[in-house]
Structures are given as C-alpha cells and as structure tokens.
Amino acid sequence: ELKVEQNPLFLSMQEGKNYTIYCNYSTTSDRLYWYRQDPGKSLESLFVLLSNGAVKQEGRLMASLDTKARLSTLHITAAVHDLSATYFCAVDGSGGGADGLTFGKGTHLIIQP
Amino acid sequence: DSGVTQTPKHLITATGQRVTLRCSPRSGDLSVYWYQQSLDQGLQFLIQYYNGEERAKGNILERFSAQQFPDLHSELNLSSLELGDSALYFCASSRPRVAIGTGELFFGEGSRLTVL
C-alpha cells in the first residue's frame, strides 16, 4: 500500500522566518505534486515535479524532489501571513493500479505577524 | 477557477437518506476522480472513471456508487447515509497522462454533505 507521510502536520511560525515541510513516500515514483487548501475551499495545484532533482519556485515557495530518497520538500522563505493554509503533497498511485494521486495528511501552516 | 464544476455546494440530509453529487470535468479531461475529505480520515480516494468506464477503486463503501456519462460528467450516489458520511466530497479531473497530461488533478469546489 502506498504511503505518503508529511511532517510536520502542524506548524506555527512567525512572519519573516524560513521553514521546510517534508514529504516522504513509500513507492518508486518520479512524479510528485504539491497542493494548497484554504479552510473549506478547494485544492489548488502549486507545483508538479516530474523527475528526480526537479526544483520549482513560485514566489516564497520552492519545491524539490529526490526520487532516490523518496523525499520532496516545500521550503518557505520569509513567510508572510497570506501563506497560511494547509499544504498537501501527493504521489502517483491511487492504490488501484491506475491514474490518480495518493495524498499525505497535510501540513496545517499558521503564520503569525 | 479550476474549470471543474460540482453541485450542490452544500447538502443537509438525514440518516438513511440517499443523495447524488454531480461533477462536470474540465473541457477535454477524460478522467474524473472522487475524493472524500473528513477531519479524521484526511483526503481519501474513492473512485476514478476514465471516458465512461470505471478505472480504479479506492476506499469506497458499498453504499456508495458512481458513474460517468457519455458527456463525461459524473455522479456520485451515496445511500443509506450515516452520520459518519458527513464530509467534503471533491471531484477532480485530469488529462490522459500518456498523451499530454502530467497527472496533475484539477479539483472542483467540493460538495459539503452534512448528515443529521
């Protein structure tokens, strides 16, 4: 069974600080996805990482993928309040042998002034 | 706006009842996925349809069923509802990965089901 583990699950940090969210997964996959969800809202795609060593950056967020270590990181630089949300990583494989994503439990991020 | 449309946005019903949730995928997307999100279980994959055919099943209860119609919209039917079925149900769609897709899923706004 494919497992996707994120840590931490909850993170409270101050504006201006840097932090990293980690995503480990149990299967061989060269594709990993990061999503953002605001409370009660839909999931918004942030990054699609399609190969080992892939790095993508958007504003204060940067995601990377190490397929050999089965690890992806989401790094937050100089956090601002607007980045408060829940962040999910997801890996190929719904467990049914078909297209689809298996999600981690999410990291609930609160950024305080 | 992801382009995926879900209705209804909110639904309140009683235990034992049956409801139908509807999803229209993005234009050009052949795959539709249903996910359930609850506080204790997180995001759980329920079922996937591809071009009208069931392609994968996840943690879907026998009381739940789905289908995808020729126009590619999908419906998720939930019957004999229990209190524990209260959750946010998301539909997502994607392009065929083998062809031009990256496997990225695009999510609708969700249908919030409350069972009383």
Side-chain angles (χ1 to χ4, degrees), chain B residues 98-111:
Chain B
V98 173
I100 57 174
T102 63
E104 184 180 9
L105 299 189
F106 296 88
F107 283 81
E109 295 290 316
S111 293

Side-chain angles (χ1 to χ4, degrees), chain A residues 89-108:
Chain A
C89 65
V91 177
D92 264 357
S94 62
D99 298 342
L101 304 181
T102 297
F103 285 80
K105 290 189 180 299
T107 296
H108 184 49

Side-chain angles (χ1 to χ4, degrees), chain A residues 31 33 35 37 40-43 45-46 48 50 88 92-105, chain B residues 31 33 35 37 40-41 43 45 48 55-58 88 90 95-97 101-109 112:
Chain A
R31 295 168 183 251
Y33 309 81
Y35 286 83
Q37 185 181 34
K41 302 294 185 183
S42 182
L43 281 83
S45 178
L46 292 175
V48 178
L50 297 177
F88 292 91
D92 264 357
S94 62
D99 298 342
L101 304 181
T102 297
F103 285 80
K105 290 189 180 299
Chain B
S31 281
Y33 309 78
Y35 282 82
Q37 186 177 38
D40 55 341
Q41 295 292 324
L43 262 170
F45 168 71
Q48 178 201 356
R55 187 173 170 92
K57 263 189 177 180
L88 195 50
F90 284 109
R95 299 267 157 81
R97 186 179 313 155
T102 63
E104 184 180 9
L105 299 189
F106 296 88
F107 283 81
E109 295 290 316
R112 182 169 294 281

